[in-house]
Amino acid sequence: MIPLMAEYPETEPPVVLGVNVLGKPLAPCSFAPLTGFTRNGHCCAHPEDPGAHTICVRVTDAFLQFSLQRGNDLITPRPEWRFPGLKAGDRWCVCLWRWIEALEAGVAPPVVLEATDQSVLDSVPYDLLVAHAWPG
């Protein structure tokens, strides 16, 4: 007899990572520090993420200060949130709207295209992302 589904131990549902802005499987953004709305290392779209943390960047000092001035401190460690604090050069899934705001202010950090969710293309033209792409 085949066991009913209720008899199996509960496990996490599989994560669907999706596609990046290059049309390929979404690459991880960072595991150290661990990033992503669900802290899975990926900047994947998630229905419960109102901030759309779908764009992977290499943070810069200018961006970190800009974000701090906007009320989002990405520098100070917050162990209770599994957040080590960021420093320039770290890769991180940032809020799409904050990146656009930083772009308009001239301090947008470079984008890691391979690790940026395709949903970003609904708000930012591909050519603009490429113009702000991290080289490697």
Side-chain angles (χ1 to χ4, degrees):
M1 178 165 172
I2 298 174
L4 299 173
M5 287 302 294
E7 294 175 6
Y8 287 109
E10 289 189 33
T11 59
E12 291 282 323
V15 175
V16 178
L17 296 177
V19 176
N20 65 28
V21 295
L22 303 171
K24 297 182 178 175
L26 187 65
C29 181
S30 177
F31 295 114
L34 186 58
T35 192
F37 177 72
T38 61
R39 293 296 192 264
N40 67 359
H42 294 80
C43 303
C44 42
H46 192 282
E48 295 177 20
D49 178 10
H53 293 82
T54 50
I55 187 163
C56 180
V57 302
R58 284 235 181 213
V59 296
T60 61
D61 285 326
F63 176 76
L64 290 170
Q65 290 303 314
F66 176 81
S67 187
L68 181 62
Q69 291 170 358
R70 297 293 186 280
N72 187 19
D73 182 358
L74 297 173
I75 301 166
T76 304
R78 302 283 183 176
E80 67 275 20
W81 296 337
R82 297 188 302 168
F83 180 68
L86 302 178
K87 61 186 179 320
D90 286 340
R91 288 169 54 146
W92 194 250
C93 298
V94 298
C95 173
L96 174 60
W97 315 116
R98 181 56 44 105
W99 187 85
I100 292 170
E101 191 180 31
L103 178 68
E104 292 169 351
V107 294
V111 178
V112 181
L113 299 175
E114 298 80 10
T116 295
D117 193 273
Q118 189 176 46
S119 65
V120 168
L121 296 173
D122 293 339
S123 303
V124 180
Y126 177 78
D127 292 344
L128 189 59
L129 292 172
V130 170
H132 290 85
W134 175 254

